[in-house]
């Protein structure tokens, strides 16, 4: 086996995902390889891209009383560090999305993005943060059930959403230990 073959075999395989999947389903402090990071300019034999970030439609949970479910969110504002996404340098940006149904709920992402090459839309994106915080909504019924320890439960939720499973387990275990009698009573009632 030649040295080159060996190198190719040990090279980790990169998995690409769409920008909407990355924004919706990736917790903060994670890097993603994005299929459609830049806006495509022209198709045909010589495709190229406009050096600006794509802002795809997203499907997110909207807690507003008019919605209370998954709705379309569209980009309403884009604040960029530099005008263009240059190859080889990071562009820091804020992307502001708004619920298209109630027009009230807003979601903001803080990202660092960079295109792979000006010939295609692929690139890498780092999610620095998001507001409101990442994670599926917690049912109000669950919060009521564990009321005296809901703050501790939410700390665990925060850990779980950031990928710190062991930290989350410690919080959840304390909630269950404190509340085991109440939870059992509720189960017996059901
Ligand atoms: Zn809404």
């Amino acid at each position: 086996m030649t040295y080159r073959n060996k190198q190719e075999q040990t090279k980790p395989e990169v998995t690409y995902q769409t920008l909407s999947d990355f924004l919706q389903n990736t917790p903060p402090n994670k890097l993603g390889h994005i299929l459609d990071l830049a806006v495509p300019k022209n198709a045909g034999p010589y495709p190229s891209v406009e050096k600006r970030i794509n802002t795809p439609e997203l499907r997110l949970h909207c807690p507003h009383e008019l919605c209370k479910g998954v709705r379309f969110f569209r980009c309403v504002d884009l604040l960029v560090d530099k005008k263009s996404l240059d190859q080889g340098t990071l562009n820091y940006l804020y992307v502001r999305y708004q619920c298209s149904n109630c027009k009230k709920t807003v979601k903001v992402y803080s990202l660092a993005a960079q295109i792979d090459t000006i010939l295609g839309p692929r690139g890498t994106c780092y999610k620095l943060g998001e507001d409101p915080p990442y994670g599926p909504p917690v049912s109000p019924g669950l919060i009521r059930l564990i009321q005296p320890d809901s703050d501790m439960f939410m700390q665990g939720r925060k850990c779980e959403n950031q990928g710190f499973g062991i930290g989350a387990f410690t919080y959840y275990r304390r909630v269950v230990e404190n509340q085991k009698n109440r939870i059992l009573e509720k189960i017996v009632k059901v």
Side-chain angles (χ1 to χ4, degrees):
M1 191 187 289
T2 65
Y3 175 71
R4 205 176 149 190
N5 281 345
K6 257 190 195 163
Q7 258 197 335
E8 275 168 8
Q9 278 198 350
T10 51
K11 211 171 151 190
E13 208 174 286
V14 172
T15 312
Y16 280 86
Q17 62 188 133
T18 60
L19 186 57
S20 56
D21 179 39
F22 176 74
L23 294 176
Q24 289 165 176
N25 305 316
T26 306
N29 307 314
K30 289 261 158 49
L31 182 80
H33 297 279
I34 312 297
L35 272 172
D36 54 349
L37 185 73
V39 177
K41 196 151 70 179
N42 47 22
Y46 306 108
S48 63
V49 288
E50 287 184 32
K51 292 198 284 179
R52 61 186 171 89
I53 193 165
N54 204 358
T55 49
E57 210 172 56
L58 303 181
R59 300 264 297 152
L60 300 169
H61 177 86
C62 176
H64 193 274
E65 55 182 24
L66 289 173
C67 302
K68 286 188 177 161
V70 174
R71 295 290 183 273
F72 280 110
F73 278 63
R74 293 189 178 91
C75 177
V76 287
D77 202 9
L78 184 63
L79 195 70
V80 293
D81 169 40
K82 286 178 289 166
K83 283 218 170 91
S84 69
L85 277 177
D86 283 317
Q87 192 181 349
T89 58
L90 282 172
N91 192 347
Y92 294 91
L93 40 106
Y94 286 102
V95 199
R96 193 159 159 266
Y97 274 86
Q98 188 186 55
C99 172
S100 295
N101 188 52
C102 64
K103 311 256 188 235
K104 300 281 181 204
T105 306
V106 165
K107 179 85 172 176
V108 181
Y109 296 99
S110 166
L111 308 168
Q114 170 181 324
I115 50 172
D116 287 351
T117 150
I118 54 162
L119 300 175
R122 289 185 177 199
T124 49
C125 191
Y126 189 83
K127 194 192 264 186
L128 298 162
E130 62 186 87
D131 181 43
Y134 173 82
V138 179
S139 140
L142 178 62
I143 295 293
R144 269 199 304 277
L145 176 70
I146 52 160
Q147 190 57 55
D149 290 309
S150 56
D151 287 348
M152 205 188 299
F153 174 81
M154 291 310 290
Q155 289 291 341
R157 191 72 170 184
K158 218 185 263 178
C159 286
E160 189 186 348
N161 290 338
Q162 306 254 348
F164 303 129
I166 292 179
F169 174 75
T170 312
Y171 283 111
Y172 292 156
R173 203 179 78 174
R174 280 166 63 188
V175 173
V176 172
E177 274 172 3
N178 290 350
Q179 306 245 353
K180 58 178 186 266
N181 291 339
R182 262 188 71 185
I183 294 171
L184 285 174
E185 270 170 31
K186 296 265 180 188
I187 292 173
V188 170
K189 242 189 197 172
V190 170

